[in-house]
Amino acid sequence: MKVLEGQIVAPKAKIAIAIARFNSFINESLLEGAIDALKRYGQVSEDNITIVRVPGAYELPLVASRLAKSGKFDGIVALGTVIRGGTAHFEYVAGEASSGLGQVMMNADIPVAFGVLTTESIEQAIERAGTKAGNKGAEAALVALEMINLLAQIDAE
Protein backbone atom coordinates (compact mmCIF):
# COMPACT_ATOMS: atom_id res chain seq x y z
CA MET A 1 0.00 0.00 0.00
CA LYS A 2 1.29 3.42 -0.94
CA VAL A 3 0.35 6.44 1.19
CA LEU A 4 1.18 9.97 0.13
CA GLU A 5 1.24 12.69 2.79
CA GLY A 6 2.58 16.19 2.57
CA GLN A 7 5.29 17.41 4.89
CA ILE A 8 5.57 20.91 6.29
CA VAL A 9 9.26 21.57 5.65
CA ALA A 10 9.69 23.25 2.26
CA PRO A 11 12.75 25.51 2.40
CA LYS A 12 12.81 26.16 -1.35
CA ALA A 13 9.10 27.01 -1.63
CA LYS A 14 8.24 30.42 -3.03
CA ILE A 15 5.18 31.75 -1.23
CA ALA A 16 3.00 34.76 -1.94
CA ILE A 17 0.87 36.11 0.88
CA ALA A 18 -2.07 38.20 -0.32
CA ILE A 19 -3.44 40.17 2.61
CA ALA A 20 -6.43 42.50 2.84
CA ARG A 21 -5.92 45.95 4.36
CA PHE A 22 -9.56 46.19 5.50
CA ASN A 23 -9.71 45.04 9.12
CA SER A 24 -5.94 45.38 9.27
CA PHE A 25 -5.98 45.36 13.07
CA ILE A 26 -6.86 41.65 12.80
CA ASN A 27 -5.11 40.83 9.54
CA GLU A 28 -1.69 41.97 10.74
CA SER A 29 -1.85 39.27 13.44
CA LEU A 30 -2.76 36.71 10.78
CA LEU A 31 0.22 37.88 8.73
CA GLU A 32 2.60 37.60 11.67
CA GLY A 33 1.36 34.06 12.31
CA ALA A 34 1.74 33.08 8.65
CA ILE A 35 5.27 34.43 8.36
CA ASP A 36 6.30 32.80 11.63
CA ALA A 37 4.92 29.42 10.51
CA LEU A 38 6.58 29.65 7.09
CA LYS A 39 9.95 30.51 8.57
CA ARG A 40 9.94 28.43 11.75
CA TYR A 41 8.17 25.25 10.63
CA GLY A 42 8.55 25.39 6.86
CA GLN A 43 12.12 26.72 6.97
CA VAL A 44 11.21 29.12 4.17
CA SER A 45 13.65 32.02 3.88
CA GLU A 46 12.38 35.60 3.91
CA ASP A 47 13.70 35.98 0.37
CA ASN A 48 11.12 33.41 -0.78
CA ILE A 49 8.15 35.20 0.81
CA THR A 50 6.33 37.99 -1.04
CA ILE A 51 3.61 40.02 0.67
CA VAL A 52 0.96 41.68 -1.49
CA ARG A 53 -1.52 44.06 0.15
CA VAL A 54 -4.98 44.40 -1.37
CA PRO A 55 -7.88 46.68 -0.36
CA GLY A 56 -10.17 43.99 1.08
CA ALA A 57 -11.15 40.33 1.10
CA TYR A 58 -13.31 40.79 -2.00
CA GLU A 59 -10.19 41.64 -4.03
CA LEU A 60 -8.17 38.64 -2.87
CA PRO A 61 -9.25 36.27 -5.69
CA LEU A 62 -8.15 38.63 -8.48
CA VAL A 63 -4.76 39.24 -6.91
CA ALA A 64 -4.33 35.53 -6.14
CA SER A 65 -5.14 34.75 -9.76
CA ARG A 66 -2.55 37.20 -11.04
CA LEU A 67 0.06 35.85 -8.62
CA ALA A 68 -0.69 32.28 -9.68
CA LYS A 69 -0.52 33.14 -13.39
CA SER A 70 2.87 34.79 -12.89
CA GLY A 71 4.43 31.34 -12.39
CA LYS A 72 6.72 32.79 -9.71
CA PHE A 73 5.10 31.08 -6.73
CA ASP A 74 4.60 27.52 -5.53
CA GLY A 75 1.71 28.51 -3.28
CA ILE A 76 -0.41 31.43 -2.15
CA VAL A 77 -1.73 32.24 1.31
CA ALA A 78 -4.80 34.50 1.26
CA LEU A 79 -5.45 36.43 4.48
CA GLY A 80 -8.35 38.65 5.43
CA THR A 81 -11.21 39.17 7.82
CA VAL A 82 -14.91 39.59 7.11
CA ILE A 83 -17.03 40.42 10.15
CA ARG A 84 -20.81 40.12 9.99
CA GLY A 85 -22.65 43.39 10.22
CA GLY A 86 -26.28 44.41 10.04
CA THR A 87 -26.64 43.95 6.27
CA ALA A 88 -26.22 41.19 3.69
CA HIS A 89 -22.83 42.64 2.69
CA PHE A 90 -21.08 39.96 4.79
CA GLU A 91 -22.55 37.11 2.73
CA TYR A 92 -21.50 38.66 -0.56
CA VAL A 93 -17.93 39.45 0.46
CA ALA A 94 -17.31 36.20 2.35
CA GLY A 95 -18.93 34.08 -0.36
CA GLU A 96 -17.08 35.70 -3.24
CA ALA A 97 -13.75 35.56 -1.43
CA SER A 98 -14.24 31.88 -0.66
CA SER A 99 -15.50 30.75 -4.05
CA GLY A 100 -13.11 33.03 -5.92
CA LEU A 101 -10.05 31.70 -4.12
CA GLY A 102 -11.21 28.13 -4.64
CA GLN A 103 -11.65 28.81 -8.33
CA VAL A 104 -8.16 30.31 -8.56
CA MET A 105 -6.68 27.21 -6.93
CA MET A 106 -8.43 24.87 -9.33
CA ASN A 107 -7.66 26.93 -12.45
CA ALA A 108 -4.03 27.66 -11.60
CA ASP A 109 -3.32 24.20 -10.18
CA ILE A 110 -1.32 25.54 -7.23
CA PRO A 111 -2.29 25.65 -3.56
CA VAL A 112 -4.24 28.73 -2.46
CA ALA A 113 -4.66 28.48 1.30
CA PHE A 114 -7.80 30.09 2.70
CA GLY A 115 -6.86 32.24 5.68
CA VAL A 116 -9.88 34.51 5.52
CA LEU A 117 -11.75 34.78 8.79
CA THR A 118 -15.53 34.93 8.46
CA THR A 119 -16.81 35.76 11.92
CA GLU A 120 -19.92 36.94 13.68
CA SER A 121 -18.07 39.51 15.80
CA ILE A 122 -14.81 41.34 16.34
CA GLU A 123 -14.24 39.19 19.42
CA GLN A 124 -14.41 35.99 17.37
CA ALA A 125 -11.95 37.46 14.87
CA ILE A 126 -9.51 38.36 17.63
CA GLU A 127 -9.77 34.83 19.05
CA ARG A 128 -8.85 33.34 15.65
CA ALA A 129 -5.98 35.75 15.02
CA GLY A 130 -3.75 34.51 17.78
CA THR A 131 -5.56 34.21 21.08
CA LYS A 132 -7.99 31.49 22.24
CA ALA A 133 -8.54 29.76 18.91
CA GLY A 134 -4.95 29.86 17.64
CA ASN A 135 -3.79 31.80 14.62
CA LYS A 136 -5.60 30.97 11.40
CA GLY A 137 -2.90 32.78 9.38
CA ALA A 138 -0.32 30.32 10.68
CA GLU A 139 -2.66 27.42 9.95
CA ALA A 140 -3.19 28.62 6.37
CA ALA A 141 0.56 28.92 5.83
CA LEU A 142 1.09 25.35 7.05
CA VAL A 143 -1.66 24.11 4.73
CA ALA A 144 0.03 25.79 1.76
CA LEU A 145 3.37 24.14 2.57
CA GLU A 146 1.82 20.72 3.08
CA MET A 147 -0.08 20.96 -0.21
CA ILE A 148 3.04 22.07 -2.11
CA ASN A 149 4.87 18.98 -0.86
CA LEU A 150 1.91 16.67 -1.44
CA LEU A 151 1.44 17.82 -5.03
CA ALA A 152 5.17 17.30 -5.65
CA GLN A 153 4.84 13.72 -4.39
CA ILE A 154 1.86 13.08 -6.65
CA ASP A 155 3.77 14.49 -9.64
CA ALA A 156 6.75 12.25 -8.83
CA GLU A 157 4.63 9.08 -8.90
Side-chain angles (χ1 to χ4, degrees), residues 76-96:
I76 298 167
V77 178
L79 303 175
T81 303
V82 186
I83 301 170
R84 186 178 300 278
T87 68
H89 184 73
F90 170 90
E91 280 83 11
Y92 294 115
V93 174
E96 290 302 316

Side-chain angles (χ1 to χ4, degrees), residues 4 14 24 40 45-46 56 70 80 83 87 97 106 109 112 119 124 128 130 134 137 146 157:
L4 303 177
K14 295 190 184 318
S24 65
R40 192 154 40 111
S45 76
E46 283 189 4
S70 77
I83 301 170
T87 68
M106 296 305 293
D109 201 32
V112 179
T119 65
Q124 283 181 351
R128 287 159 178 75
E146 184 174 345
E157 281 297 306

